[in-house]
Amino acid sequence: MVAQQTATITINSLPAYHPPGSAIYVAGSFNGWNPQDEKFKMQYNNGVYTISLKLDKGSYEYKITRGGWDKVECKKNGVGMGNRILEIEGNDTIELNIEEWQDRFPAKPGISTASKNVKIVDTAFWIPQLKRTRRIWIYLPEGYTASTKKYPVLYMQDGQNVFDDATSFSGEWGVDECLDSVNEKQCIVVAVDHGGNKRLTEYNPYDSDRFGKGEGDMYVDFLVKTLKPFIDKKYRTIKTKKNTFVAGSSMGGLISMYAVLKYPKVFGGAGIFSPSFWVAPPIFDEIKRKGRSVNSAIYFYAGKQEGENMVTDMLKVFEAMADKSKSKMTTVIRDDGKHTEAAWKKEFYGALSWMLRAQSL
């Protein structure tokens, strides 16, 4: 086992109005981008905030927050800033200056970038399994209303980031623009918003000491037992397994993998982008128990700039599946790949095309 390194982050300066000792957190690719993770809360002592992170060697992205993405650090003029980069080679100390907090500036209404083919199915779609509501988006291919054609369906997680830059956390995938620009490989795309502070439990099928009781089992039941029947009834879909897909990134990648394992007769393919398998070690036991029943098209993607374990964890799951399953599978690994919407946007159409092609052979 490779020994972890210690990175100590210290904040040297804060805005003058910042209340001394008030809570500050570190959120990044090492904790599922949880903006209020108590295990990543900085310590305050004698006017100084510090935190020591024990991490494997590699590259990580992060930001400083006051407990929510509306309270994230930003530039002096209120303009958002890119993710900070943490390169772990050995024990190190990083000194930061916080210029401003985002909530000090009036929120500017975002300009929607969603294409005319994107609609809101419901702003508060009821999830009976979790007893809460969620916004649901849908993309209908060009010419849908003027034809009688039926289409495959792709169900995607983190709906805020799929179609519209105005609702995204750090940029959209541009799925609508991508599909608007092609004449083949068309499909309906249904995107489900994540649950905000519920995201880390809804997208995890297993209980976690760090993040809480897993709700992923019920969330996947919602996709299959509630949302899919609704979409199949209201829209012209091809309902068969070969034409039903699921995809997501990070925690969304984890729950998409679990969806195929739990419902191998429903999902004919899955796009697993930069999956957070590190959060859920029981996934390997799940594969041992259920992998043999899965015969789908599974596309795995990871980038080498996502931390030391991202690629290795993904390959371990791929190999575990290859040992048990007859699924058609492929892996794509990018040397420059980062844990960002921009990276997943580049990979989306290749993944969708591969899944559709694999299921048509």
Side-chain angles (χ1 to χ4, degrees):
M1 181 180 295
V2 179
Q4 290 187 315
Q5 309 300 314
T6 300
T8 300
I9 298 175
T10 300
I11 296 179
N12 281 336
S13 66
L14 287 157
Y17 60 79
H18 182 87
S22 60
I24 293 180
Y25 302 85
V26 181
S29 54
F30 40 73
N31 74 335
W33 290 98
N34 184 348
Q36 195 174 3
D37 188 338
E38 292 301 319
K39 292 188 177 181
F40 287 82
K41 183 179 180 180
M42 302 190 77
Q43 301 299 311
Y44 181 77
N45 188 30
N46 294 326
V48 178
Y49 285 91
T50 61
I51 187 171
S52 292
L53 308 178
K54 291 190 177 296
L55 300 168
D56 295 332
K57 289 184 178 180
S59 179
Y60 302 87
E61 297 186 57
Y62 71 102
K63 282 184 176 176
I64 307 300
T65 83
R66 291 184 4 260
W69 291 117
D70 58 328
K71 304 178 183 68
V72 70
E73 60 176 321
C74 65
K75 298 288 188 180
K76 283 184 178 180
N77 56 3
V79 172
M81 54 184 287
N83 295 337
R84 294 182 183 271
I85 304 298
L86 181 61
E87 300 285 352
I88 302 293
E89 295 295 337
N91 296 332
D92 197 7
T93 298
I94 300 93
E95 297 183 353
L96 306 180
N97 297 312
I98 306 299
E99 296 182 18
E100 272 290 357
W101 298 113
Q102 193 70 66
D103 61 328
R104 291 282 293 186
F105 298 86
K108 297 179 181 179
I111 299 174
S112 175
T113 61
S115 83
K116 63 182 176 61
N117 294 319
V118 174
K119 311 294 181 186
I120 301 295
V121 173
D122 195 337
T123 58
F125 195 98
W126 179 245
I127 305 177
Q129 293 82 358
L130 294 169
K131 294 181 172 55
R132 58 187 71 128
T133 62
R134 198 61 42 78
R135 179 172 54 188
I136 309 292
W137 311 63
I138 193 165
Y139 170 87
L140 299 174
E142 184 71 29
Y144 174 89
T145 56
S147 75
T148 58
K149 182 179 178 181
K150 294 184 178 182
Y151 296 89
V153 184
L154 169 64
Y155 291 87
M156 295 189 69
Q157 321 315 318
D158 292 313
Q160 294 97 325
N161 301 335
V162 174
F163 304 117
D164 198 341
D165 197 58
T167 60
S168 68
F169 158 58
S170 58
E172 56 157 317
W173 285 45
V175 167
D176 47 341
E177 289 88 353
C178 171
L179 294 179
D180 283 347
S181 68
V182 298
N183 294 319
E184 56 181 15
K185 307 298 183 188
Q186 286 287 354
C187 71
I188 291 172
V189 180
V190 177
V192 184
D193 276 12
H194 66 67
N197 61 2
K198 298 288 188 182
R199 180 176 184 268
L200 293 172
T201 53
E202 279 188 4
Y203 287 174
N204 192 347
Y206 315 109
D207 296 346
S208 165
D209 291 338
R210 178 183 295 179
F211 302 122
K213 185 173 179 59
E215 299 178 311
D217 202 57
M218 291 182 287
Y219 175 78
V220 170
D221 285 349
F222 160 69
L223 293 181
V224 172
K225 297 180 179 180
T226 303
L227 185 58
K228 185 179 187 302
F230 174 87
I231 296 296
D232 286 341
K233 182 177 180 180
K234 187 170 182 179
Y235 300 95
R236 295 196 310 276
T237 67
I238 306 175
K239 303 176 184 179
T240 61
K241 167 185 169 174
K242 278 194 170 187
N243 291 279
T244 305
F245 304 89
V246 63
S249 62
S250 195
M251 291 295 294
L254 167 63
I255 199 62
S256 296
M257 183 70 233
Y258 180 77
V260 176
L261 288 166
K262 183 170 186 184
Y263 288 103
K265 294 182 179 180
V266 173
F267 295 109
I272 314 297
F273 297 84
S274 306
S276 296
F277 291 139
W278 61 273
V279 175
I283 195 75
F284 292 97
D285 294 328
E286 199 84 36
I287 290 171
K288 288 180 181 178
R289 291 195 303 271
K290 300 179 180 179
R292 200 174 301 279
S293 65
V294 180
N295 188 6
S296 299
I298 307 177
Y299 184 102
F300 292 93
Y301 164 81
K304 291 185 178 179
Q305 305 303 313
E306 300 187 72
E308 186 170 321
N309 292 329
M310 176 60 73
V311 171
T312 55
D313 284 353
M314 184 194 75
L315 290 176
K316 286 178 183 177
V317 168
F318 173 84
E319 291 164 2
M321 283 294 294
D323 184 56
K324 294 289 184 179
S325 173
K326 294 181 180 179
S327 293
K328 298 172 184 175
M329 300 189 298
T330 190
T331 61
V332 174
I333 299 169
R334 304 292 185 197
D335 289 343
D336 60 348
K338 296 182 178 180
H339 203 78
T340 64
E341 263 67 33
W344 303 320
K345 179 178 182 177
K346 290 180 181 178
E347 303 298 329
F348 169 75
Y349 191 64
L352 177 62
S353 297
W354 183 88
M355 288 189 291
L356 291 170
R357 186 171 61 253
Q359 281 295 19
S360 66
L361 297 176

